[in-house]
Amino acid sequence: MPKIMVIDDEEMIRAGIVSIIRRLAPQWHVSECKDAESAMQSLNSDKPDLMLIDVSMPGMDGLELAHFLKEKFPDILKIVLTGHDKFSYVQNALRAEVLDYLLKPIIREELVEALEKAERLIGERVHNRQQAAEARAQRLQHSLVDLLCGLQESEDQLKRILIEEGWQLESVEYSLLVFVGDDDGFIGQGEKLSQRVEAFQSIFGQEDHTFAFFSDSRHFFVFSSGTALPVDDMWGWWLRTWSSTTTDASLGGEALIWGGGASFVSLAELPEVYGNLIHQMNRSENGRKKPDTVNGANKDRIDQENRLRAALETNDFEALMNFFQAGFKKIKQQASEQPSMMRLGMFHFLLLILLPVLTKTESKLSLAMRETVADVLSRLSLPGSTIHLMSIISEFENQLRTLATHLPDNTEQNKVIETVKAYIGKNYADKTLCLETLSKVVHMNGNYVSNLFKEVTGENYLVYLTSARMEQAKRMLRDTTLKTYEVADSTGYSSTKYFCKVFRKMHGMTPSEYRNRSQGSEGSDKTSVD
């Protein structure tokens, strides 16, 4: 609501003007004064956007007041009222940069028209100020992000912008708080940011200045300066604030929020501080606010990790590349508005999603990739890496393709399975024969051997082992006089009862029945346990 102050020493005229404004322009908040002196005393408390000033007043007249306002309060608009239609009055009023010049007695339509003109101008000023403030915030944000991502030449630019914004750069320390939300964890929170910052500064009075911003829907930064900054308390306050305001009941819990914070004394330290925070946040659980239940985003992540694990265990390069291309595409989309944020997305993707799966998966591809990923992370930590980020991603993809050329092709895979089959054929009687034994024979991860065996043969290795043992058992039952318990022992079974159970399940009859039928005899093996 715009504010207007009416100054006129004649009470009846002043009351009439106030009444007209309240009836015909109710959007204005009206205050009134009897002379220039009382008006000047009320400026700081009333803070008018427009002053309607009578020229002829005792003491300081209206034109003198208009000139005073021009010098001391240039943003206040002025409309003067006079009973004199003289050129000298008009000329003097123009020099005082008044918005309009109205003659007494006031014509209501002229007053309303003047107020509408003032209201339009006030609206334009507010809009222009908002745009200027947003432009300054964007300059500060881009300069800050460029520096924390390693562009050292941005330090001087950031210092200039901070000084322009009134920041004190001497005898202060700085703090950087970083928060990462799962997927769309911060969507809709931008409108509340100014209120959050006000609440934050009211609690933590140590901050001389604070600049907080969302780089996108998932990443939030708080940059402060002051003395003896309580970083842990500041970090905890924001973490609780965002975690409590991102609850989505439809998902059954809260959005995941990661956070970290650190203090430092020189802006030159910002890239190192930022890099350390990202590593700490993604390598530990300290900054993670876990939900009570798994939400949709977590389910997607679990599915994603399972697909990645399967691709690594089976050395499925095509599936692996599809995984990376999807991840890189998402990073590029998130960084479309601010390319510098691509670096944070890469850290998040490699450290939070890829690396944990790599360290828990044993296969030729995963072992080779660990070194490659470590190299990429070290390069991302270097100053200036943002400039070369696209080339780092491109080289990473080329390294993956190089690794693929050293993976076993179908022929090699078949050789591996043939080796496994041959070993089973020779050692089926070994009661300790298991997946771990087979994986050691071919020097591969057990899960990978199991998956590869099923991929090549179409059946589980345990089914194949059981079938091999049963085939040997049938041969012995047909061609030898071994007792059933001896056959069980000779084919790798410690329990004769279990052997008979498996045999019956596979062949629909007991070992004794099979022997009798194969020999054309209805006799039974009295020593067997069927």
Side-chain angles (χ1 to χ4, degrees):
M1 175 180 287
K3 298 179 180 179
I4 181 172
M5 179 184 289
V6 179
I7 307 101
D8 197 308
D9 62 313
E10 297 184 59
E11 185 176 354
M12 290 185 62
I13 294 177
R14 187 172 71 246
I17 294 173
V18 170
S19 176
I20 292 173
I21 295 173
R22 286 176 175 166
R23 283 189 294 109
L24 302 182
Q27 69 274 22
W28 286 86
H29 175 79
V30 187
S31 61
E32 52 183 297
C33 293
K34 64 180 181 179
D35 54 33
E37 183 179 354
S38 61
M40 289 188 294
Q41 291 175 351
S42 301
L43 282 175
N44 290 328
S45 59
D46 289 349
K47 295 180 171 53
D49 301 296
L50 169 66
M51 296 178 71
L52 192 62
I53 309 168
D54 181 31
V55 170
S56 300
M57 293 186 296
M60 178 186 288
D61 66 27
L63 291 179
E64 290 175 324
L65 176 58
H67 282 285
F68 169 80
L69 294 172
K70 173 189 173 183
E71 296 298 326
K72 302 298 184 181
F73 299 90
D75 288 340
I76 297 178
L77 299 178
K78 302 169 287 291
I79 296 177
V80 295
L81 306 173
T82 181
H84 303 281
D85 187 12
K86 292 183 179 180
F87 177 74
S88 59
Y89 279 96
V90 176
Q91 193 176 40
N92 197 351
L94 292 174
R95 285 197 294 268
E97 296 181 354
V98 299
L99 178 65
D100 215 332
Y101 184 95
L102 300 180
L103 292 175
K104 292 182 177 180
I106 289 179
I107 300 174
R108 289 179 299 178
E109 290 78 11
E110 291 182 354
L111 176 58
V112 171
E113 184 179 347
L115 293 179
E116 290 175 348
K117 180 180 179 181
E119 192 171 356
R120 287 194 299 271
L121 185 55
I122 291 171
E124 291 175 1
R125 284 183 173 181
V126 171
H127 177 70
N128 292 338
R129 286 170 183 166
Q130 289 176 342
Q131 284 191 321
E134 290 173 1
R136 291 196 304 272
Q138 283 293 320
R139 285 181 60 227
L140 177 54
Q141 176 177 330
H142 282 276
S143 181
L144 180 61
V145 171
D146 284 345
L147 180 57
L148 64 86
C149 285
L151 301 181
Q152 293 291 350
E153 60 269 23
S154 297
E155 181 181 348
D156 291 338
Q157 180 184 12
L158 178 59
K159 287 181 178 179
R160 288 194 299 270
I161 294 174
L162 292 176
I163 291 173
E164 291 173 3
E165 293 295 313
W167 290 52
Q168 174 65 40
L169 303 186
E170 300 294 334
S171 302
V172 296
E173 66 176 357
Y174 305 95
S175 69
L176 178 67
L177 310 179
V178 182
F179 299 90
V180 181
D182 267 8
D183 296 323
D184 297 331
F186 286 120
I187 278 187
Q189 299 299 322
E191 298 176 357
K192 304 177 183 178
L193 181 56
S194 60
Q195 294 94 325
R196 301 290 182 200
V197 172
E198 289 179 6
F200 172 72
Q201 290 183 303
S202 68
I203 295 173
F204 300 97
Q206 297 92 335
E207 288 75 53
D208 292 328
H209 297 281
T210 290
F211 177 62
F213 65 94
F214 295 98
S215 62
D216 55 28
S217 64
R218 296 180 59 247
H219 302 102
F220 177 67
F221 294 82
V222 182
F223 176 61
S224 301
S225 71
T227 56
L229 299 177
V231 174
D232 289 342
D233 293 337
M234 292 159 58
W235 164 82
W237 185 89
W238 279 107
L239 186 64
R240 291 190 299 274
T241 296
W242 291 132
S243 297
S244 64
T245 57
T246 54
T247 300
D248 188 341
S250 65
L251 296 177
E254 298 175 353
L256 285 178
I257 303 293
W258 288 263
S263 61
F264 50 101
V265 296
S266 171
L267 292 176
E269 299 177 66
L270 194 54
E272 181 179 358
V273 169
Y274 172 61
N276 290 338
L277 281 178
I278 296 301
H279 279 281
Q280 292 170 8
M281 286 167 56
N282 290 297
R283 288 183 182 275
S284 71
E285 298 291 322
N286 295 334
R288 182 175 296 190
K289 176 73 172 72
K290 291 187 175 181
D292 296 330
T293 57
V294 177
N295 59 27
N298 292 332
K299 292 179 180 178
D300 290 341
R301 173 171 292 172
I302 292 172
D303 291 341
Q304 188 179 38
E305 291 178 352
N306 288 338
R307 291 194 300 271
L308 173 60
R309 185 176 294 107
L312 291 171
E313 289 177 347
T314 59
N315 290 327
D316 189 342
F317 177 72
E318 183 178 355
L320 184 68
M321 287 306 297
N322 289 337
F323 169 82
F324 278 110
Q325 288 169 358
F328 292 153
K329 181 179 179 181
K330 187 173 183 179
I331 292 170
K332 293 172 184 177
Q333 288 174 342
Q334 292 171 343
S336 59
E337 294 184 2
Q338 191 165 344
S340 299
M341 292 311 303
M342 193 181 295
R343 181 172 181 261
L344 178 57
M346 282 295 292
F347 270 118
H348 184 87
F349 178 69
L350 295 176
L351 280 173
L352 188 63
I353 298 176
L354 177 60
L355 201 58
V357 178
L358 279 180
T359 56
K360 296 176 183 178
T361 306
E362 297 293 334
S363 71
K364 185 174 182 179
L365 182 56
S366 65
L367 291 173
M369 279 188 61
R370 291 176 194 174
E371 183 177 349
T372 302
V373 172
D375 176 66
V376 173
L377 287 172
S378 65
R379 295 181 63 190
L380 285 173
S381 301
L382 295 175
S385 62
T386 304
I387 300 176
H388 308 291
L389 186 55
M390 293 306 299
S391 63
I392 292 175
I393 293 176
S394 179
E395 290 178 19
F396 182 41
E397 291 175 329
N398 290 334
Q399 287 177 314
L400 292 179
R401 292 188 180 92
T402 301
L403 289 176
T405 62
H406 296 90
L407 294 177
D409 56 21
N410 291 337
T411 302
E412 292 176 327
Q413 291 178 346
N414 290 336
K415 289 181 179 178
V416 169
I417 300 307
E418 290 302 319
T419 300
V420 172
K421 287 182 176 180
Y423 188 87
I424 291 175
K426 291 180 179 179
N427 299 277
Y428 61 86
D430 184 356
K431 297 179 179 61
T432 63
L433 184 58
C434 60
L435 181 60
E436 182 179 359
T437 304
L438 297 174
S439 65
K440 290 180 179 179
V441 170
V442 292
H443 307 289
M444 291 183 176
N445 172 264
N447 289 332
Y448 172 70
V449 173
S450 177
N451 291 330
L452 182 61
F453 195 98
K454 186 171 183 178
E455 179 182 346
V456 173
T457 66
E459 63 181 355
N460 186 281
Y461 90 96
L462 190 57
V463 173
Y464 180 86
L465 173 59
T466 302
S467 297
R469 284 172 168 171
M470 289 297 105
E471 287 300 316
Q472 293 299 323
K474 288 195 294 184
R475 184 188 63 79
M476 292 179 186
L477 290 170
R478 290 194 312 266
D479 303 334
T480 72
T481 57
L482 293 173
K483 306 299 184 181
T484 300
Y485 74 88
E486 293 175 323
V487 173
D489 184 76
S490 298
T491 53
Y493 291 94
S494 301
S495 168
T496 304
K497 185 176 181 179
Y498 180 71
F499 165 73
C500 293
K501 180 179 179 180
V502 174
F503 191 98
R504 184 168 187 169
K505 182 178 180 180
M506 291 192 67
H507 302 296
M509 64 186 75
T510 65
S512 296
E513 291 171 341
Y514 176 84
R515 168 172 277 171
N516 292 335
R517 290 186 183 186
S518 65
Q519 296 176 351
S521 170
E522 294 299 321
S524 63
D525 182 354
K526 292 183 173 53
T527 61
S528 67
V529 180
D530 291 345

PDB file of all heavy atoms in Angstrom, residues 43-58:
ATOM      1  N   LEU A  43       8.891  12.288   9.059  1.00  0.00           N
ATOM      2  CA  LEU A  43       9.366  11.574   7.871  1.00  0.00           C
ATOM      3  C   LEU A  43       9.874  10.178   8.205  1.00  0.00           C
ATOM      4  O   LEU A  43       9.531   9.198   7.529  1.00  0.00           O
ATOM      5  CB  LEU A  43      10.465  12.390   7.171  1.00  0.00           C
ATOM      6  CG  LEU A  43       9.993  13.574   6.326  1.00  0.00           C
ATOM      7  CD1 LEU A  43      11.191  14.363   5.800  1.00  0.00           C
ATOM      8  CD2 LEU A  43       9.137  13.088   5.172  1.00  0.00           C
ATOM      9  N   ASN A  44      10.713  10.071   9.225  1.00  0.00           N
ATOM     10  CA  ASN A  44      11.327   8.772   9.537  1.00  0.00           C
ATOM     11  C   ASN A  44      10.329   7.751  10.050  1.00  0.00           C
ATOM     12  O   ASN A  44      10.478   6.545   9.821  1.00  0.00           O
ATOM     13  CB  ASN A  44      12.452   8.964  10.556  1.00  0.00           C
ATOM     14  CG  ASN A  44      13.649   9.686   9.963  1.00  0.00           C
ATOM     15  OD1 ASN A  44      13.941   9.550   8.774  1.00  0.00           O
ATOM     16  ND2 ASN A  44      14.335  10.481  10.781  1.00  0.00           N
ATOM     17  N   SER A  45       9.288   8.211  10.721  1.00  0.00           N
ATOM     18  CA  SER A  45       8.294   7.272  11.259  1.00  0.00           C
ATOM     19  C   SER A  45       7.223   6.930  10.224  1.00  0.00           C
ATOM     20  O   SER A  45       6.814   5.780  10.102  1.00  0.00           O
ATOM     21  CB  SER A  45       7.644   7.854  12.512  1.00  0.00           C
ATOM     22  OG  SER A  45       7.007   9.102  12.212  1.00  0.00           O
ATOM     23  N   ASP A  46       6.747   7.921   9.475  1.00  0.00           N
ATOM     24  CA  ASP A  46       5.677   7.683   8.499  1.00  0.00           C
ATOM     25  C   ASP A  46       6.183   7.115   7.172  1.00  0.00           C
ATOM     26  O   ASP A  46       5.454   6.396   6.488  1.00  0.00           O
ATOM     27  CB  ASP A  46       4.905   8.973   8.234  1.00  0.00           C
ATOM     28  CG  ASP A  46       4.054   9.389   9.424  1.00  0.00           C
ATOM     29  OD1 ASP A  46       3.913   8.571  10.341  1.00  0.00           O
ATOM     30  OD2 ASP A  46       3.556  10.528   9.418  1.00  0.00           O
ATOM     31  N   LYS A  47       7.410   7.485   6.800  1.00  0.00           N
ATOM     32  CA  LYS A  47       8.020   7.006   5.558  1.00  0.00           C
ATOM     33  C   LYS A  47       7.070   7.128   4.350  1.00  0.00           C
ATOM     34  O   LYS A  47       6.719   6.134   3.708  1.00  0.00           O
ATOM     35  CB  LYS A  47       8.479   5.548   5.698  1.00  0.00           C
ATOM     36  CG  LYS A  47       9.586   5.343   6.710  1.00  0.00           C
ATOM     37  CD  LYS A  47       9.999   3.884   6.792  1.00  0.00           C
ATOM     38  CE  LYS A  47      11.237   3.698   7.626  1.00  0.00           C
ATOM     39  NZ  LYS A  47      11.188   4.295   8.971  1.00  0.00           N
ATOM     40  N   PRO A  48       6.643   8.340   4.010  1.00  0.00           N
ATOM     41  CA  PRO A  48       5.711   8.512   2.889  1.00  0.00           C
ATOM     42  C   PRO A  48       6.398   8.292   1.536  1.00  0.00           C
ATOM     43  O   PRO A  48       7.585   8.574   1.372  1.00  0.00           O
ATOM     44  CB  PRO A  48       5.256   9.965   3.035  1.00  0.00           C
ATOM     45  CG  PRO A  48       6.415  10.651   3.693  1.00  0.00           C
ATOM     46  CD  PRO A  48       6.986   9.631   4.645  1.00  0.00           C
ATOM     47  N   ASP A  49       5.633   7.765   0.588  1.00  0.00           N
ATOM     48  CA  ASP A  49       6.100   7.673  -0.795  1.00  0.00           C
ATOM     49  C   ASP A  49       5.808   8.961  -1.552  1.00  0.00           C
ATOM     50  O   ASP A  49       6.505   9.293  -2.516  1.00  0.00           O
ATOM     51  CB  ASP A  49       5.402   6.500  -1.515  1.00  0.00           C
ATOM     52  CG  ASP A  49       5.654   5.175  -0.828  1.00  0.00           C
ATOM     53  OD1 ASP A  49       6.827   4.759  -0.798  1.00  0.00           O
ATOM     54  OD2 ASP A  49       4.691   4.560  -0.335  1.00  0.00           O
ATOM     55  N   LEU A  50       4.757   9.697  -1.125  1.00  0.00           N
ATOM     56  CA  LEU A  50       4.318  10.920  -1.794  1.00  0.00           C
ATOM     57  C   LEU A  50       3.910  11.938  -0.742  1.00  0.00           C
ATOM     58  O   LEU A  50       3.279  11.585   0.269  1.00  0.00           O
ATOM     59  CB  LEU A  50       3.124  10.606  -2.703  1.00  0.00           C
ATOM     60  CG  LEU A  50       2.357  11.784  -3.300  1.00  0.00           C
ATOM     61  CD1 LEU A  50       3.252  12.557  -4.281  1.00  0.00           C
ATOM     62  CD2 LEU A  50       1.093  11.297  -4.004  1.00  0.00           C
ATOM     63  N   MET A  51       4.277  13.218  -0.979  1.00  0.00           N
ATOM     64  CA  MET A  51       3.866  14.298  -0.072  1.00  0.00           C
ATOM     65  C   MET A  51       3.088  15.342  -0.876  1.00  0.00           C
ATOM     66  O   MET A  51       3.560  15.822  -1.907  1.00  0.00           O
ATOM     67  CB  MET A  51       5.084  14.919   0.618  1.00  0.00           C
ATOM     68  CG  MET A  51       5.802  13.927   1.534  1.00  0.00           C
ATOM     69  SD  MET A  51       7.269  14.609   2.334  1.00  0.00           S
ATOM     70  CE  MET A  51       6.545  15.755   3.496  1.00  0.00           C
ATOM     71  N   LEU A  52       1.877  15.634  -0.388  1.00  0.00           N
ATOM     72  CA  LEU A  52       1.020  16.645  -1.001  1.00  0.00           C
ATOM     73  C   LEU A  52       1.186  17.923  -0.179  1.00  0.00           C
ATOM     74  O   LEU A  52       0.722  18.007   0.966  1.00  0.00           O
ATOM     75  CB  LEU A  52      -0.429  16.163  -0.986  1.00  0.00           C
ATOM     76  CG  LEU A  52      -1.441  16.941  -1.822  1.00  0.00           C
ATOM     77  CD1 LEU A  52      -1.079  16.882  -3.302  1.00  0.00           C
ATOM     78  CD2 LEU A  52      -2.850  16.375  -1.612  1.00  0.00           C
ATOM     79  N   ILE A  53       1.864  18.955  -0.730  1.00  0.00           N
ATOM     80  CA  ILE A  53       2.370  20.079   0.063  1.00  0.00           C
ATOM     81  C   ILE A  53       1.695  21.387  -0.367  1.00  0.00           C
ATOM     82  O   ILE A  53       1.722  21.747  -1.556  1.00  0.00           O
ATOM     83  CB  ILE A  53       3.892  20.220  -0.109  1.00  0.00           C
ATOM     84  CG1 ILE A  53       4.597  18.875   0.141  1.00  0.00           C
ATOM     85  CG2 ILE A  53       4.447  21.298   0.786  1.00  0.00           C
ATOM     86  CD1 ILE A  53       6.050  18.864  -0.278  1.00  0.00           C
ATOM     87  N   ASP A  54       1.133  22.092   0.626  1.00  0.00           N
ATOM     88  CA  ASP A  54       0.607  23.435   0.360  1.00  0.00           C
ATOM     89  C   ASP A  54       1.768  24.419   0.296  1.00  0.00           C
ATOM     90  O   ASP A  54       2.687  24.373   1.128  1.00  0.00           O
ATOM     91  CB  ASP A  54      -0.362  23.830   1.477  1.00  0.00           C
ATOM     92  CG  ASP A  54      -0.973  25.206   1.245  1.00  0.00           C
ATOM     93  OD1 ASP A  54      -1.141  25.577   0.054  1.00  0.00           O
ATOM     94  OD2 ASP A  54      -1.269  25.898   2.231  1.00  0.00           O
ATOM     95  N   VAL A  55       1.730  25.309  -0.698  1.00  0.00           N
ATOM     96  CA  VAL A  55       2.831  26.260  -0.871  1.00  0.00           C
ATOM     97  C   VAL A  55       2.825  27.307   0.229  1.00  0.00           C
ATOM     98  O   VAL A  55       3.872  27.619   0.829  1.00  0.00           O
ATOM     99  CB  VAL A  55       2.755  26.935  -2.262  1.00  0.00           C
ATOM    100  CG1 VAL A  55       3.749  28.095  -2.350  1.00  0.00           C
ATOM    101  CG2 VAL A  55       3.041  25.912  -3.348  1.00  0.00           C
ATOM    102  N   SER A  56       1.671  27.873   0.530  1.00  0.00           N
ATOM    103  CA  SER A  56       1.581  28.999   1.475  1.00  0.00           C
ATOM    104  C   SER A  56       1.348  28.482   2.881  1.00  0.00           C
ATOM    105  O   SER A  56       0.220  28.132   3.264  1.00  0.00           O
ATOM    106  CB  SER A  56       0.441  29.947   1.066  1.00  0.00           C
ATOM    107  OG  SER A  56       0.678  30.467  -0.231  1.00  0.00           O
ATOM    108  N   MET A  57       2.446  28.383   3.669  1.00  0.00           N
ATOM    109  CA  MET A  57       2.360  27.946   5.065  1.00  0.00           C
ATOM    110  C   MET A  57       3.254  28.838   5.904  1.00  0.00           C
ATOM    111  O   MET A  57       4.280  29.344   5.417  1.00  0.00           O
ATOM    112  CB  MET A  57       2.805  26.483   5.212  1.00  0.00           C
ATOM    113  CG  MET A  57       1.890  25.467   4.563  1.00  0.00           C
ATOM    114  SD  MET A  57       2.402  23.762   4.924  1.00  0.00           S
ATOM    115  CE  MET A  57       4.017  23.697   4.133  1.00  0.00           C
ATOM    116  N   PRO A  58       2.931  29.036   7.182  1.00  0.00           N
ATOM    117  CA  PRO A  58       3.799  29.833   8.051  1.00  0.00           C
ATOM    118  C   PRO A  58       5.127  29.112   8.284  1.00  0.00           C
ATOM    119  O   PRO A  58       5.209  27.883   8.220  1.00  0.00           O
ATOM    120  CB  PRO A  58       2.983  29.953   9.349  1.00  0.00           C
ATOM    121  CG  PRO A  58       2.068  28.766   9.335  1.00  0.00           C
ATOM    122  CD  PRO A  58       1.730  28.542   7.890  1.00  0.00           C
TER     123      PRO A  58
END
